[in-house]
């Protein structure tokens, strides 16, 4: 389907949503528009009211919003004090103690565990006591490297209860990446499990933690959850302790540590344009409000709903949309340990059917993969409980959108294509299910408090009106935006607030079409998005040049029908070091897996005699991108290149390996 065609295709809000027994909270486009207008014109009034409605405050705030982008000192609900765990657990444990808070759908579909709010409170308190006993206090960082099990949620909330700051590292990261993150945040305690299980395969989490902690005295304690019960896990005396043993002896109540609205809630490392990953810091009040408000309005979550976000807790989507958003609302949230295709490609849909899921949230990669495997896997399940189905992480192509809408949603569910980032904390552009007519492939309109701007990338001038394309920025602060990069505020300013003064810069390109709909076009910086996982080109390049035979490396994102983008790496070699190129290429792929993690594996590595460069020696990644994406005929002016003759050689090399 061409972009123009899809731009002209508008789907109204499905009739069933408006006429069904559960009325959407916002049920007309006019209502959305007037609320949005109010939220951006009078953010202080709008968000003060929302913060009191959504959150329990131990100390009231008086100043709703202070600071600005110029100074990088944005702060919300300033005098306010609260506790995130109290908001996500205690108050619901008192009001609805027997309501299920977490449904854990294990890797084996026969393993289902449910925790009520009352049980969750006791577990969180026990863990808070264990951590307190290990001297974890307000402001301390705790690293978490865990599979998708209830203990991960319990560990995160136990940190929040103490006012400690969790730093969850996705369990697909390598030991080296884990080490780097533990060292950067200075955590003294790590929480992990003996092993993880995903799609029937074992992930040796504890072994990877041991490898990451080879430096003596890097941390004081490692708490280990017995998950698979493997016998091969090794425990280091005086450092490693078993979760179940500590918990058995812990009191199931621990008072909350009330913190300032602006105290940090968590760090989450993400990839940027330059090499080292950055610890994106989120604070308590603003983040929680953004999480809860978006879950309620964008997923239209009501009291009896069963809400499911299929992401991993190791990424921001898991933080905001598995844990903090739904639990802050007192909803039932699903925790999915497995993969979309295990044991069969019906797994997602069987899970929806089994638990009577009402909201379902996943990534375009999964939708594309399942669409390719055939309709029969969907058709055999009853998906009639679904009302809202969401997509996140990368642009969703119109074909995948249509399949999701028709096959999964039976043309009766709202599809919400939600655009946001680790740094934005919660969704910033998305339809609202009962209000927004959608266009397949467009994230549509801004959420409350978000004033988007499309800027001319060269001049920084705002492009007003419709039918404009440029880079996407946000014009005024919103509650859940990241406040800083841990220990590196300079980098925060340089990355987000300095490139276009007065704006928050997203790093994405975007179009506002003739009807005012926003279309996200993908990253304009050196970030690659593979299956919704963010990777920086320079991080991968650094991994490649660790090999002693590699002289230079250039990494770019190529187009991939399934994963959105994929990694192509070009390497030049030092003279006379390699006889077997194929073996070297295999070794380089392994090197990247080892340095970063299996999900960062390059799809193609090309060994070439030279890289395209300017006369001053700067690598022209733009040229490589065009060659890989079959656009070598659109290179434009190559006269500034040091050696334009290199192009044909590169084109041949790429063709050869396809
Ligand atoms: C991309 C994930 C198009 C975008 C929540 C962004 C999207 C990056 C969408 C952030 C979407 C996310 N449409 N692109 N609906 N959602 N992206 O930090 O490039 O892992 O900048 O956060 O994913 O990735 P992150």
């Amino acid at each position: 389907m061409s972009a123009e065609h899809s731009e002209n295709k508008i789907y109204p809000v499905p009739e069933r949503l408006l006429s069904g027994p559960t009325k959407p909270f916002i049920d007309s486009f006019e209502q959305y528009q007037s609320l949005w207008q109010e939220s951006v014109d009078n953010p202080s009034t709008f968000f003060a009211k929302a913060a009191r409605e959504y959150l329990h405050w131990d100390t009231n705030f008086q100043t709703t919003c202070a600071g600005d982008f110029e100074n990088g000192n944005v702060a919300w609900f300033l005098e306010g004090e609260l506790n995130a765990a109290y908001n996500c657990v205690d108050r619901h444990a008192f009001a609805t103690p027997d309501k299920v808070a977490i449904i854990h759908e294990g890797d084996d579909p026969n393993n289902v565990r449910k925790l009520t709010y009352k049980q969750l409170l006791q577990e969180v308190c026990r863990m808070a006591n264990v951590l307190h006993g290990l001297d974890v206090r307000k402001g301390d960082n705790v690293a978490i490297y865990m599979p998708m099990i209830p203990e991960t949620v319990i560990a995160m909330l136990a940190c929040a209860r103490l006012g400690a700051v969790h730093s969850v590292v996705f369990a697909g990261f390598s030991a080296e990446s884990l080490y780097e993150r533990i060292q950067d945040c200075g955590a003294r305690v790590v929480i992990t499990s003996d092993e993880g299980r995903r799609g029937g395969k074992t992930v040796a989490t504890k072994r990877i933690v041991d490898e990451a902690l080879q430096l003596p005295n890097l941390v004081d304690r490692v708490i280990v959850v017995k998950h698979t019960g493997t016998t091969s896990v090794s425990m280091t005396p005086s450092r490693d302790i078993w979760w179940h043993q500590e918990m058995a002896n812990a009191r199931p109540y621990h008072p909350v540590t009330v913190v300032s609205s602006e105290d940090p809630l968590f760090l989450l490392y993400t990839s940027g344009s330059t090499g080292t990953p950055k610890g994106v810091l989120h604070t308590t009040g603003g983040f929680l409000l953004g999480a809860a408000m978006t879950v309620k309005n964008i997923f239209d979550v009501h009291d009896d709903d069963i809400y499911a976000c299929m992401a991993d807790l190791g990424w921001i989507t898991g933080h905001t949309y598995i844990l903090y958003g739904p639990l802050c609302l007192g909803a039932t949230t699903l925790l999915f340990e497995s993969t979309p295709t295990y044991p069969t490609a019906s797994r997602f849909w069987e899970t929806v059917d089994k638990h009577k899921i009402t909201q379902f949230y996943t990534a375009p990669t999964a939708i594309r993969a399942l669409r390719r495997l055939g309709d029969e896997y969907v058709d055999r399940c009853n998906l009639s409980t679904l009302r809202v189905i969401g997509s996140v992480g990368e642009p969703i192509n119109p074909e995948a959108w249509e399949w999701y809408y028709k096959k999964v949603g039976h043309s009766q569910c709202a599809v919400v294509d939600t655009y946001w980032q680790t740094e934005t904390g919660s969704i910033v552009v998305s339809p609202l299910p009962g209000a927004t007519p959608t266009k397949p492939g467009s994230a549509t309109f801004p959420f409350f408090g978000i004033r988007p701007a499309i800027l001319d990338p060269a001049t920084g001038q705002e492009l007003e009106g419709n039918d404009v394309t440029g880079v996407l920025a946000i014009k005024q602060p919103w509650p859940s935006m990241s406040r800083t990069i841990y220990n590196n505020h300079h980098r925060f300013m340089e990355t987000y607030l300095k490139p276009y003064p007065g704006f928050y810069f997203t790093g994405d390109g975007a179009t506002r079409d003739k009807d005012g709909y926003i279309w996200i076009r993908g990253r304009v910086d050196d970030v690659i998005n593979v299956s919704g996982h963010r990777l920086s080109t320079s991080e991968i390049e650094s991994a490649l040049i660790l090999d002693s035979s590699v002289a230079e490396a250039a990494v770019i994102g190529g187009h991939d029908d399934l994963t959105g983008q994929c990694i192509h790496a070009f390497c030049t070699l030092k003279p006379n070091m390699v006889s077997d190129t194929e073996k070297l290429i295999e070794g380089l792929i392994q090197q990247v897996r080892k340095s970063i993690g299996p999900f960062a594996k390059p799809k193609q590595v090309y060994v070439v005699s030279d890289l395209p460069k300017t006369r001053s020696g700067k690598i022209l990644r733009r040229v490589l991108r065009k060659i890989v994406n079959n656009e070598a005929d659109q290179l434009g002016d190559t006269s500034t290149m040091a050696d334009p003759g290199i192009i044909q050689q590169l084109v041949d090399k790429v063709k050869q390996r396809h």
Side-chain angles (χ1 to χ4, degrees), residues 345-412:
S346 272
R347 183 63 189 275
F348 268 2
W349 322 124
E350 280 164 1
T351 305
V352 170
D353 196 344
K354 172 162 55 169
H355 300 294
K356 313 233 168 317
I357 287 167
T358 42
Q359 285 85 6
F360 181 83
Y361 194 22
T362 189
T365 295
I367 300 168
R368 287 192 294 263
L370 293 171
R371 172 174 178 258
R372 194 179 275 192
L373 290 170
D375 294 350
E376 63 272 22
Y377 293 104
V378 193
D379 290 343
R380 62 178 184 231
C381 300
N382 179 353
L383 306 180
S384 63
T385 50
L386 288 173
R387 296 203 315 278
V388 182
I389 52 181
S391 164
V392 61
E394 46 176 323
I396 178 165
N397 48 314
E399 293 78 6
W401 192 104
E402 299 260 356
W403 183 82
Y404 199 32
Y405 177 73
K406 290 182 182 143
K407 269 289 144 195
V408 179
H410 292 272
S411 308
Q412 295 185 333

Side-chain angles (χ1 to χ4, degrees), residues 268 270-271 280 315-317 321 361 364 391-396 416-424 426-427 429 441-443 504 506-509 519-525 527-529 532-535 565:
L268 190 58
T270 190
S271 296
V280 172
W315 303 112
I316 190 67
T317 308
Y321 294 108
Y361 194 22
S391 164
V392 61
E394 46 176 323
I396 178 165
V416 288
D417 173 4
T418 63
Y419 166 77
W420 61 297
Q421 312 176 297
T422 305
E423 298 86 340
T424 65
S426 58
I427 297 165
V429 181
S442 164
Y504 165 87
T506 62
D508 284 301
W519 298 72
I520 308 296
R521 303 295 188 200
R523 304 289 307 194
V524 295
D525 54 9
V527 170
I528 307 185
N529 191 327
H533 295 164
R534 251 170 92 164
L535 292 153
Q565 284 191 301

Side-chain angles (χ1 to χ4, degrees), residues 133 146 286 475 496:
M146 296 268 266
K475 267 199 229 187
Y496 309 109

